[in-house]
Amino acid sequence: MNDSWENLIAGVKNRDIRAAARLITRVENRAPGWKEAMSRIYSRTGSARVIGITGSPGAGKSTLTCAMTKELISRGLTVGIIAIDPSSPFSGGALLGDRLRMKEIFETPGVFIRSMATRGMLGGLCQAARDVVRILDLFGKDIILVETVGVGQDEIEVVKTADLVMVVCMPGQGDGIQAIKAGVMEIADLYVVNKADMPGVDEAVADILAMLELSTETGKPSAPVLKTSALKNQGVKEVVTAFLDHRTDEDRRQAKAEIRAREEILSLLAQEVSGYILKQWENENRFCESVNQVLKKQKDPYAIVKEMTQRFNWS
Amino acid sequence: MNQGGKIRVLVAKPGLDGHERGAQVVAYGLRDAGFEVIYTGLRQTAEQIVSTAIQEDVDVVGLSILSGAHLSLTRKVMDGLKAQGADDILVIVGGIIPDPDIQKLKDMGVGEVFVSGTPVSAIAQYIASAVSTRKNAG
Ligand SMILES: Nc1nc2c(ncn2[C@@H]2O[C@H](COP(=O)(O)OP(=O)(O)OP(=O)(O)O)[C@@H](O)[C@H]2O)c(=O)[nH]1
Ligand SMILES: [Mg+2]
């Protein structure tokens, strides 16, 4: 396979699965030329609907993603799935296990699943996920489902870039719902209480409704709360219908789009600038040394950043 | 495949044996060695393994087989990869493999065979060096 950017992009347009998989790897690895490649495809993206799926660990996000995908396919839509799991901060490796719950759709025509590690990308996860979404969009996927664990700030940032955010919880999880309060609630468009085949569902629904009543952000219609059993394939049709029918009102949509565009430019800029400076420092082997100096309390981080940026005559 | 990025490994169990423990130990061990491991667990068909390997653009497919059917299962995966033009992916096999079959697996194109009890660190070392050799070659 000729792996030039040009060929890979042409392959994706022709719905060549290998080309899409390769292009994703290259862009995810930030191989030289990735920005130019993304820049070339940008104008041809934007037609897929992107659904962010987040919620507490083990709530059934992957199982539900699989069930929803089957439903979407039966409605004649094509689906791309991006399943994000954390990288280990110690080894840099990752165990990407979401596919375990998606076996039924491994070979379904029209489905493309990609597991992605967070790679400790200093806020770069968000951008990398956006890039992968765009590649699947270029590929022609109608719906793109992005699964993350809704604990880290980075992961929350990722689902924020979706057109619609679905928060998945499960019964008997008082503290899970507590966790949702911190940050996810502001961005949820739809709540799903999964594992409705287990006791305590109605209590969980009531908890969420009570919480929603407390904070009705002005202008934001309150998010619907639905029940599913992903395992028994109950309530899944209703969830799919809810997000396909979901229409964000125009003002809110525009406000969101503006924030998104602003944040994307700023984050690309921040990475570019810090990447540039860091590269010079790493060439000079100074970065590790600086980290050590901070550890030994010989220097403080503020002073180091000042040193790093001095040559630009900032401040 | 990856260029300076993380090495991606698919760990899968083809066939019907239900012993997942070994595959899990390898999956965790490889993660701790710094690889990105896609774990798909038990009872994978060759078709599922091939389609996962391609979509995930992995560098390595690790098959864990304890059922005794390693020759036919591995053959199916190798053929499937080849049919998709993906036979540049390194395939390794682990499990209970009798000595005479090791060479047979290698003749099919399997990169290395790790019999049960091999420390994960040895597998990790093999992967790291084999993948870097392949990249430099290709
Ligand atoms: N009883 C019941 N169990 C379910 C249901 N959905 C998922 N599970 C089980 O819950 C466990 C976790 O499911 P996953 O789909 O992996 O959950 P997840 O939210 O994706 O998990 P992480 O990605 O690890 O955060 C598995 O054992 C599933 O079989 C359901 O509707 N009912
Ligand atoms: Mg999951």
Side-chain angles (χ1 to χ4, degrees):
Chain A
M1 186 192 230
N2 182 332
D3 260 3
S4 69
W5 291 107
E6 181 121 14
N7 264 311
L8 291 178
I9 292 172
V12 176
K13 287 183 193 158
N14 286 326
R15 309 208 165 175
D16 174 343
I17 294 174
R18 277 213 100 189
R22 285 264 163 103
L23 186 60
I24 290 172
T25 306
R26 288 259 217 119
V27 167
E28 195 189 6
N29 287 345
R30 281 14 192 158
W34 73 272
K35 272 170 280 184
E36 291 73 13
M38 288 310 301
S39 185
R40 272 171 61 188
I41 70 175
Y42 183 84
S43 66
R44 310 187 57 141
T45 62
S47 45
R49 287 199 73 183
V50 185
I51 318 288
I53 301 162
T54 186
S56 37
K61 299 177 295 294
S62 303
T63 313
L64 187 61
T65 297
C66 178
M68 293 191 303
T69 300
K70 286 193 280 182
E71 175 63 22
L72 288 162
I73 290 285
S74 79
R75 296 190 191 195
L77 296 162
T78 57
V79 183
I81 298 170
I82 304 170
I84 302 175
D85 275 321
S87 297
S88 153
F90 304 107
S91 69
L95 191 63
L96 309 172
D98 293 316
R99 265 184 181 263
L100 262 176
R101 313 286 169 211
M102 303 186 187
K103 289 178 192 178
E104 288 168 55
I105 51 172
F106 281 6
E107 297 165 79
T108 307
V111 178
F112 183 105
I113 309 172
R114 182 66 174 223
S115 311
M116 202 175 160
T118 55
R119 293 195 181 178
M121 293 198 251
L122 296 168
L125 168 64
C126 197
Q127 188 60 42
R130 257 195 289 243
D131 297 334
V132 178
V133 163
R134 287 193 180 120
I135 294 169
L136 294 178
D137 187 341
L138 179 73
F139 188 93
K141 294 300 181 195
D142 300 313
I143 307 286
I144 297 168
L145 305 174
V146 184
E147 177 191 337
T148 69
V149 176
V151 278
Q153 192 54 39
D154 257 13
E155 285 92 337
I156 291 175
E157 292 300 318
V158 169
V159 285
K160 260 166 89 175
T161 68
D163 299 315
L164 180 146
V165 176
M166 198 165 117
V167 175
V168 184
C169 349
M170 61 179 169
Q173 223 201 351
D175 48 346
I177 290 171
Q178 212 61 33
I180 289 167
K181 280 187 192 168
V184 181
M185 239 188 95
E186 293 77 8
I187 56 167
D189 299 294
L190 178 67
Y191 289 90
V192 175
V193 179
N194 186 42
K195 307 199 186 183
D197 51 291
M198 290 180 26
V201 207
D202 293 324
E203 289 87 330
V205 172
D207 279 354
I208 296 173
L209 288 173
M211 200 175 64
L212 288 175
E213 252 173 53
L214 287 177
S215 92
T216 27
E217 193 190 322
T218 40
K220 188 184 171 194
S222 71
V225 183
L226 300 175
K227 295 186 272 190
T228 58
S229 168
L231 216 53
K232 299 191 168 167
N233 202 17
Q234 286 162 358
V236 177
K237 276 193 174 64
E238 288 76 3
V239 171
V240 168
T241 302
F243 72 64
L244 290 180
D245 288 351
H246 184 274
R247 292 284 169 269
T248 314
D249 83 85
E250 193 51 26
D251 284 353
R252 191 175 158 80
R253 205 189 55 76
Q254 274 192 15
K256 249 174 105 170
E258 191 189 319
I259 293 172
R260 250 198 261 178
R262 191 183 284 271
E263 283 181 350
E264 182 163 15
I265 296 170
L266 284 175
S267 93
L268 282 169
L269 180 68
Q271 278 175 59
E272 189 79 15
V273 172
S274 62
Y276 173 77
I277 297 174
L278 209 56
K279 208 164 132 196
Q280 294 196 327
W281 268 55
E282 275 179 353
N283 284 346
E284 298 168 30
N285 239 338
R286 281 167 72 188
F287 189 66
C288 290
E289 195 188 308
S290 304
V291 171
N292 276 327
Q293 287 171 327
V294 172
L295 289 177
K296 290 185 194 145
K297 297 202 190 299
Q298 291 164 347
K299 273 188 188 167
D300 67 80
Y302 308 96
I304 286 171
V305 169
K306 195 170 170 71
E307 243 179 88
M308 290 174 95
T309 54
Q310 222 152 33
R311 69 180 89 181
F312 303 100
N313 282 324
W314 282 345
S315 77
Chain B
M1 233 163 274
N2 88 34
Q3 298 166 328
K6 290 276 166 201
I7 293 178
R8 289 167 67 86
V9 184
L10 168 61
V11 174
K13 277 191 67 65
L16 297 176
D17 79 84
H19 307 283
E20 198 171 8
R21 178 88 188 131
Q24 285 173 339
V25 169
V26 171
Y28 278 99
L30 294 180
R31 177 201 58 185
D32 294 340
F35 302 130
E36 287 182 359
V37 181
I38 293 115
Y39 185 66
T40 54
L42 291 172
R43 300 196 180 87
Q44 296 287 286
T45 64
E47 292 78 11
Q48 287 178 322
I49 292 170
V50 170
S51 103
T52 298
I54 289 176
Q55 293 179 16
E56 300 286 357
D57 192 27
V58 294
D59 304 280
V60 181
V61 173
L63 302 175
S64 160
I65 312 174
L66 300 168
S67 63
H70 42 269
L71 291 177
S72 66
L73 292 170
T74 305
R75 162 76 63 205
K76 279 188 198 151
V77 172
M78 301 302 289
D79 288 350
L81 288 172
K82 193 160 199 171
Q84 301 286 324
D87 44 349
D88 54 331
I89 297 174
L90 172 63
V91 176
I92 59 179
V93 175
I96 303 172
I97 316 287
D99 259 356
D101 289 348
I102 293 178
Q103 192 54 45
K104 286 183 195 157
L105 287 169
K106 287 187 175 171
D107 290 342
M108 284 181 206
V110 168
E112 193 51 270
V113 176
F114 299 96
V115 294
S116 285
T118 309
V120 184
S121 57
I123 304 177
Q125 249 167 35
Y126 169 78
I127 291 176
S129 83
V131 169
S132 81
T133 313
R134 281 180 175 228
K135 260 176 220 161
N136 293 336

